Amino acid sequence: MREFTCIVCPNGCHLIVDDNNNVTGNTCKKGEEFAIQEIVNPKRNISSTCKTVFPNVPVVPVKTDKEIKKELIFDVIKEINKVTIDKKLKIGDVVIPNILGTDTNIIITTNSLED
Amino acid sequence: MKTLYDCVVIGGGPAGLASAIKAKEKGLDVLIIEREQVLGGILKQCIHDGFGLTRYGEKLTGPEYAYKDIVRVKELGIDVSLSTFVLDVSKKEDFSLTLTNKEGINKIVSKSIILAMGCRERTAKQVFIHGTRPAGVFTAGCAQNLVNIQGIMPAKKCVILGSGDIGLIMARRLTLEGCEVVGVYEAKSKPSGLNRNIEQCLNDFNIPLHLSKTVTRVFGIDRLESVEVMSVDEKLNPIKGTEEIVSCDALILSVGLIPENELTEKLGIEICPYTKGATVDNNLETMLDGVFAAGNCLSVNDLVDYVSINGFIAGEAAYNYVNKKKDRKLVDVEKGKGLMSIVPQRLNINSDLSKTTFFIRSDNDYRDKKLIITENGVELLKKTYKVVNQAESIKIDVDLSNVKGNIKVVLE
């Protein structure tokens, strides 16, 4: 049996998953899906920043465009920290495609380079 | 610069943006005044996701959430004055505002005002930490700005005091960037941030959370070298003999937010002792006619989606005010058992009460509680909540069309 807090929404339900993967404590379907995923293959969205060459905007926020395996978090951060953005990218533009072969892109989440 | 507006919005964060959008859509001539060089407010540095679940049904990062509103502000052609600070505001027949920016000092006049100044962080001074005054003591928001906007790492090994959401988010953020977060210390016996942030910011990274412990002293001459932590009793007083020294080069404070209300006070507007923001009616109109308040300067919110809802209410109400509806007739909303605070604190029974939105914070964590609204002992609403957490405010829309007098709200 495992117990943890649901991170799908701010309600933060207290989830309990028994040895037969039966979920209790959730108040919605998404909570049940999250609980099973957390047992089988925990995933997270990652947000970080990426260096740029522009003095007024030394770093810009970026994120994974979908969840990646939890165990890859620090490897993904390492890859993001290798990059320096030298183009005026727009919000949603891809900074690193298919990071670490995960089929996940690192995208920029701001418009601060545009104007 | 134009000098006459229907509505001036003070602050270009999420509350100000939503207020301005609604007021402009309704047909008012609107100006947003923002002291920074860009719109977006604190959202710019909140690069983590989780914003917008209620409003958009998706998890956005802070900058993405702000971007949607900024695009709308541009589409609508709303006037924006950046790098501009409001020095003074007073009411004659209309409102007179004194502004300062690159062009110098200017005066403008507006028929209505929406206060959307956001909030400030409590500092070390306000939590009574003794010792020297070394570099390395930051508020969580300051550390967040350094890392996420300026690209500067403020610490190699840090202690976080306070378990507010920004502190938890920063624990994760600093860990990701290679800082060792020794632990999060919380004087109260339970964390003050959302449970999901304890899970995904601390538990995911094995960062210890020490409850009923606080930082009592800092050491170091030029730079912080260590802090003293102590256990506290139920009254939050440190217990002698429990002193521990923890070495670190930064102390990050996440010890609460206070609504920013210097201008509100300048206007002599009544402040609610529980929210520390203006006392308002159901249209978020303060006790001074024509002045509205929205977002974290009204009461500190845990969700930006609620801040935007505030803005929409205030923007529409400003429109109604400028286009003269009936005079206000106010009745009280009494904060009863189980509540720490409630917004609004008054109802204008001369306005549309068919969809009155309340934002309620409980005074403790509860299970199976009923939210009951009564007028003269007659029940108007009864709703059961399985879980009520102090860290998560309750938003509820109620039809109060038939209310004639004071009402009372309780959790029991």
Side-chain angles (χ1 to χ4, degrees), chain B residues 21 24-25 68-78:
Chain B
I21 288 167
K24 182 76 175 185
E25 282 174 348
K68 283 177 184 270
D69 284 336
I70 293 168
V71 166
R72 186 69 185 138
V73 164
K74 284 185 183 158
E75 272 172 11
L76 289 166
I78 296 172

Side-chain angles (χ1 to χ4, degrees), chain B residues 50-209:
Chain B
F51 301 94
L53 269 174
T54 313
R55 187 169 165 203
Y56 298 110
E58 53 178 323
K59 275 187 194 175
L60 301 169
T61 65
E64 290 172 314
Y65 186 100
Y67 179 74
K68 283 177 184 270
D69 284 336
I70 293 168
V71 166
R72 186 69 185 138
V73 164
K74 284 185 183 158
E75 272 172 11
L76 289 166
I78 296 172
D79 284 359
V80 177
S81 186
L82 297 172
S83 303
T84 301
F85 196 81
V86 179
L87 289 175
D88 197 18
V89 53
S90 59
K91 184 172 187 178
K92 297 185 183 86
E93 197 169 320
D94 288 328
F95 295 93
S96 165
L97 295 102
T98 311
L99 315 178
T100 179
N101 56 24
K102 290 194 285 220
E103 291 153 35
I105 293 178
N106 283 299
K107 272 197 192 301
I108 60 167
V109 172
S110 182
K111 292 176 189 164
S112 66
I113 288 181
I114 298 177
L115 304 169
M117 292 89 69
C119 58
R120 284 188 187 173
E121 294 179 279
R122 264 202 197 99
T123 63
K125 275 244 171 85
Q126 287 151 307
V127 289
F128 306 106
I129 296 174
H130 302 283
T132 50
R133 304 182 76 183
V137 181
F138 304 95
T139 61
C142 175
Q144 191 178 44
N145 186 283
L146 286 166
V147 179
N148 293 348
I149 303 283
Q150 302 184 51
I152 297 167
M153 271 298 282
K156 292 192 182 76
K157 184 178 179 185
C158 77
V159 162
I160 297 182
L161 174 61
S163 58
D165 285 309
I166 322 167
L168 301 176
I169 300 274
M170 280 316 292
R172 173 176 64 182
R173 183 75 189 109
L174 289 165
T175 303
L176 288 177
E177 291 296 348
C179 171
E180 182 192 345
V181 179
V182 190
V184 175
Y185 292 83
E186 169 61 58
K188 297 195 192 106
S189 58
K190 63 176 201 291
S192 60
L194 298 172
N195 286 333
R196 71 195 288 241
N197 285 334
I198 303 287
E199 187 72 26
Q200 63 183 351
C201 297
L202 301 188
N203 298 352
D204 269 8
F205 300 95
N206 301 314
I207 299 169
L209 172 62

Side-chain angles (χ1 to χ4, degrees), chain B residues 54 282 284 305-306 308-310 312-313 342-344 347 352-360 371 373 380-383 385 393-401 407 409:
Chain B
T54 313
N282 51 302
L284 304 188
D305 307 65
Y306 291 176
S308 300
I309 292 170
N310 271 189
F312 294 139
I313 295 172
I342 184 162
V343 172
L347 298 177
D352 180 10
L353 289 169
S354 64
K355 190 181 166 247
T356 302
T357 306
F358 287 104
F359 298 91
I360 295 162
L371 181 73
I373 303 180
L380 303 172
L381 175 109
K382 188 187 221 172
K383 192 179 172 192
Y385 289 84
S393 60
I394 299 171
K395 171 190 169 282
I396 185 168
D397 295 328
V398 195
D399 182 355
L400 295 176
S401 308
I407 64 163
V409 183

Side-chain angles (χ1 to χ4, degrees), chain A residues 31-45:
Chain A
E32 188 179 342
E33 287 162 15
F34 169 78
I36 299 297
Q37 183 194 284
E38 194 68 2
I39 298 287
V40 179
N41 179 18
K43 290 180 173 183
R44 295 288 184 269
N45 284 309

Side-chain angles (χ1 to χ4, degrees), chain A:
Chain A
M1 193 183 84
R2 268 188 60 191
E3 296 185 35
F4 44 87
T5 304
C6 185
I7 61 169
V8 174
C9 85
N11 289 345
C13 293
H14 184 77
L15 304 174
I16 301 165
V17 186
D18 71 13
D19 297 334
N20 300 319
N21 281 2
N22 293 316
V23 182
T24 49
N26 59 308
T27 49
C28 79
K29 185 86 187 119
K30 279 185 184 170
E32 188 179 342
E33 287 162 15
F34 169 78
I36 299 297
Q37 183 194 284
E38 194 68 2
I39 298 287
V40 179
N41 179 18
K43 290 180 173 183
R44 295 288 184 269
N45 284 309
I46 301 178
S47 296
S48 188
T49 53
C50 201
K51 292 190 293 288
T52 85
V53 297
F54 307 105
N56 291 337
V57 190
V59 291
V60 291
V62 296
K63 71 170 188 182
T64 50
D65 65 358
K66 53 179 180 292
E67 293 180 321
I68 58 142
K69 282 187 183 176
K70 196 171 150 184
E71 67 208 40
L72 289 177
I73 290 176
F74 283 97
D75 296 321
V76 165
I77 292 285
K78 215 179 270 174
E79 292 301 310
I80 292 171
N81 285 345
K82 285 179 189 166
V83 175
T84 302
I85 294 174
D86 57 3
K87 293 188 196 70
K88 299 234 165 183
L89 297 177
K90 295 195 300 289
I91 190 167
D93 282 354
V94 174
V95 178
I96 307 173
N98 187 23
I99 191 161
L100 299 170
T102 55
D103 201 27
T104 302
N105 301 313
I106 301 298
I107 60 169
I108 185 166
T109 60
T110 183
N111 63 326
S112 63
L113 290 176
E114 283 177 85
D115 21 52

